[in-house]
Amino acid sequence: TGKCVCKPGPPLQPSTTLKNVLIIGDSVSIGYTPFIAKAMSAVALVQHAPYGGDGGAEETAYGVQCLDYFLRSPTGVPAKADVVMFVRTHD
């Protein structure tokens, strides 16, 4: 069986003035991340990884296989997060 192609991590460079929060999760977390980002906008830059996608981090095996990619920007720069939150809503 072929391996999935890993998606990149957050699209924006880390903030130098705010805390950096990275949410790694599936399609459900993609939906609520903008609300968290808005609620925390005064204190944190909140981003979702993987970026650019439909199903997000998908199943656990894909997430483990691709974690190094999720922790880097699309250009390969390491994501420097103060908080990393892992979200899994499916079995």
Side-chain angles (χ1 to χ4, degrees):
T1 309
K3 289 186 177 181
C4 294
V5 175
C6 296
K7 300 172 206 162
L12 303 175
Q13 295 298 317
S15 175
T16 58
T17 57
L18 302 170
K19 296 292 184 184
N20 290 283
V21 175
L22 182 59
I23 298 172
I24 297 177
D26 59 15
S27 59
V28 173
S29 61
I30 290 171
Y32 65 69
T33 295
F35 298 100
I36 295 172
K38 183 177 178 183
M40 296 184 70
S41 64
V43 295
L45 172 62
V46 178
Q47 299 191 73
H48 189 276
Y51 173 70
D54 43 4
E58 301 178 23
E59 75 279 348
T60 303
Y62 176 77
V64 170
Q65 171 183 308
C66 296
L67 185 58
D68 288 341
Y69 291 89
F70 298 166
L71 297 172
R72 295 185 178 277
S73 74
T75 61
V77 176
K80 296 181 180 179
D82 296 292
V83 174
V84 177
M85 184 173 112
F86 293 90
V87 178
R88 183 172 176 265
T89 56
H90 297 110
D91 288 335

